[in-house]
Amino acid sequence: MKPGYYFWSGDIAAAEGAIFAGCRFYAGYPITPSSEIAERMALRLPQVGGKFIEMEDEIGSIAAIIGASWTGEKVMTATSGPGISLMNENIGLAAMTEVPIVIVNAMRGAPSTGLPTLVGQGDLMQAKWGSHGSYEIISLYPDSVQETFDLMVDAFNYAEKYRVPVLFLIDGMLAHMYEKIYVPPEDAVERIERKRPTKPPGEQLIYEPDEDLIPPMPRIGEGYKIHASGLTHNEKGYPELTPQAQERLIRRLNDKIRKHAEEIWKVEEYRTDNADVIVVAMGSNARAVRTAVDEARKEGIKAGLLRPITIWPFPYKYIEKYAVDYIVAEINYGQIYHKVKEYASGNVELLPKMGGELHTPQEILHALRRYKK
Amino acid sequence: MISAGKKSTMELLREEVESLLRIDRLPHVWCPGCGIGITLNAFLRALIRAKIDPNKTVVVSGIGCTGRAAGYVNMDSFHTTHGRAIPFAVGIKFARPELNVVVFSGDGDLFAIGGNHFVNAARRNHDILVIAVNNFTYGMTGGQHGPTTPTGAYTTTTPYGNPDRPFNIPHLAISLGAPYVARWTTYHLMQLQNSIYTALHRKGFRVIEVISQCPTVYGRRNEMKSPLEMMEYFRKFSVRKDDATFDEMELTYNGRIVVGVFRDVQGIPTYEERYNDIIRRAQK
């Protein structure tokens, strides 16, 4: 895309941001409210020499991008609630076999078919715990069309750097909302490529980690005779079904993210200085909170907004940092609330919505007034 | 006469086959008398004969007994999730059409849990060779009935006989337009190897069904306790008929097994070829 200003939806920004980040392979299955991402990719990827394929379902879509990632491509799929539920088994495969992939989840009202066209935030915990087992992924959640575009570069960089699935959350509101957006010149951002083997085939163990706990990643067709399995495996990639191998592998898969958490954390702190009460909100819901915080400040309430942009690994140090009362405003019946409660020293109040609409500034303001000192 | 110190053709071939195996992973998990090793051997020998570069060949398996095949080949190889070998392979092939992509997996994996992917990948005619080992049962989990268990057969989940109807795999593949469709048994060593050899030279979604013995959990519940009895069954009840009708391809309980190359047509554009046109159009 030529640098300049555009008028795009969150979905279009997600697709264009991915291409800007270097994504050249997309496999997906249409689902509201993410379908426009697939449509944009179908149009744009062949123009830049990339590949787009519409698969038979979401399970096939994620399997295809995992396969394609092993050829060295930067890959993505996009979906929404029912689709992400179907993808979860293979998110576990990508985590276990350390394959860089980016998955966009445009969250809608849920559970089940729920509210296909309306906003929800019910998949925040699922993003972390969706597949079976103890593993770490990275999850990002922007609040505007511009941030969707910009953050896509980070999503691909994280996926490539840490060899991990990145769950890129947007929501039904953001997916379909149009805003003015600036596309920077191609060379304005840093793009990270996955680490390549330094040893020749035969000498390189496929899952031998460096000091940063991340193994270099060979490509299919280079003679490395890769073997990757979802079974618990050793550094050769061979199945080794023992508690010792499990301990070594699963500890490393978690630690490679946990030990780099602070590099991965992105948080917006809005008027949190000297605050008595801080609202924690994410995605498009944070926009109403920002307005409410401004109004509350005018009324003499020392309010602030803490917006985790990195949802996972959860940026808990930012919660610990403030000795305040917290209000967690989320469009579900309490998810990130539990994480905030885990790390807050003061009171934590849940301000839930079951889905379908954002909080209004008035609702947030009403809650904040109870904290006037 | 083989002179001392020189290796016989058989020995050389054995070495070549071994070079395509991860010898350091042996012994394998398969039971004594299992037919998966025979099928894998036929595949490796066909690959050697076809002079295909193993460094440009990828083997993808799903889950199950046959799913373990990817773990033994000394090539880029992937042991994926249950049922998902085909879409995983589709991603590889679509991203890098110059690679030879082979799916080597079992009947339950490919046709029950992975059935949707088989159907749609065949319809799109991805350039992938599918070697489908059909042992009539879920072996890894102890012998439950699957999508290919013949009606009437006894398994751990059909203790009174199977009320279910099995897939007619060649019929299914042909109806979806797959350009190369064959069926053999593990008794048909040379025919199977020749068929894989031919299929390696063809393009598009190629399907070879290999009827294989599972004496351990299937045969022993169905009057064929030993591997030999199962092989005897394949020998006695197999009939080659390349022009078999769909009805003749049906498999029945301990009944006739029609084998052969049921379809071998060339020139049908693959998905990957058709997408090249898309790229050209998009860049005009």
Side-chain angles (χ1 to χ4, degrees), chain A residues 10 14 17 70 118 174 232 251 258 307 315:
Chain A
W70 276 107
L118 300 176
L174 189 49
T232 296
R251 191 175 283 278
R258 290 184 190 183
R307 179 171 68 93

Side-chain angles (χ1 to χ4, degrees), chain A residues 92-164:
Chain A
L93 176 70
M96 188 69 152
T97 51
E98 300 178 71
V99 182
I101 57 171
V102 174
I103 305 145
V104 180
N105 177 7
M107 290 184 289
R108 62 192 223 184
S112 192
T113 314
L115 300 166
T117 61
L118 300 176
V119 64
Q121 292 184 327
D123 311 348
L124 300 170
M125 280 292 169
Q126 190 207 31
K128 170 70 181 75
W129 300 107
S131 203
H132 48 286
S134 271
Y135 63 99
E136 292 277 354
I137 49 83
I138 293 171
S139 189
L140 306 173
Y141 189 3
D143 77 336
S144 68
V145 173
Q146 181 73 57
E147 196 174 65
T148 300
F149 182 90
D150 296 341
L151 205 55
M152 227 359 133
V153 176
D154 297 294
F156 277 91
N157 284 350
Y158 289 160
E160 293 285 315
K161 182 173 181 185
Y162 300 107
R163 288 189 61 178
V164 73

Side-chain angles (χ1 to χ4, degrees), chain B residues 75-195:
Chain B
M75 294 175 250
D76 289 331
S77 53
F78 297 90
H79 181 222
T80 64
T81 41
H82 198 15
R84 318 306 165 201
I86 286 178
F88 194 101
V90 163
I92 296 169
K93 183 68 194 186
F94 187 34
R96 290 284 177 276
E98 65 273 20
L99 296 167
N100 309 301
V101 181
V102 180
V103 169
F104 196 109
S105 214
D107 52 287
D109 187 74
L110 291 169
F111 302 104
I113 191 166
N116 192 27
H117 307 304
F118 179 87
V119 166
N120 284 281
R123 174 180 61 77
R124 290 192 297 256
N125 197 28
H126 286 288
D127 189 18
I128 289 171
L129 168 59
V130 178
I131 298 174
V133 177
N134 176 2
N135 59 9
F136 305 129
T137 190
Y138 287 106
M140 186 67 90
T141 46
Q144 297 78 22
H145 86 288
T148 56
T149 308
T151 307
Y154 294 93
T155 72
T156 57
T157 49
T158 54
Y160 309 107
N162 183 20
D164 210 337
R165 250 180 84 180
F167 266 120
N168 180 336
I169 292 167
H171 183 171
L172 176 68
I174 291 168
S175 75
L176 296 162
Y180 187 91
V181 179
R183 174 198 278 154
W184 304 102
T185 79
T186 47
Y187 178 77
H188 298 85
L189 270 185
M190 283 317 293
Q191 293 94 328
L192 173 61
Q193 196 194 117
N194 290 341
S195 190

Side-chain angles (χ1 to χ4, degrees), chain A residues 209-226:
Chain A
D210 295 331
E211 263 184 31
D212 60 5
L213 304 179
I214 304 152
M217 189 169 179
R219 291 176 189 160
I220 295 174
E222 291 180 328
Y224 280 95
K225 303 183 194 301
I226 300 161

Side-chain angles (χ1 to χ4, degrees), chain A residues 277 295-296 299 301 327 362-373:
Chain A
V277 56
E295 291 301 316
E299 294 181 15
I301 306 160
I327 297 171
Q362 289 74 18
E363 285 167 338
I364 306 288
L365 187 60
H366 184 75
L368 283 172
R369 281 180 184 142
R370 293 200 291 273
Y371 293 84
K372 184 161 187 176
K373 291 201 171 148

Side-chain angles (χ1 to χ4, degrees), chain A residues 14 26-27 34 37 58 61-63 65-66 75-80 83-85 87-88 90-92 94-95 99-106 127 137-140 152 155-156 159 164-170:
Chain A
Y26 180 99
S34 76
I37 299 176
E58 289 88 348
S61 302
I62 188 165
I65 65 166
I66 297 171
V75 302
M76 185 170 95
T77 187
T79 188
S80 184
I84 202 80
S85 290
M87 287 184 182
N88 272 309
N90 283 287
I91 290 173
V99 182
I101 57 171
V102 174
I103 305 145
V104 180
N105 177 7
I137 49 83
I138 293 171
S139 189
L140 306 173
M152 227 359 133
F156 277 91
V164 73
V166 172
L167 282 98
F168 194 96
L169 302 171
I170 55 175

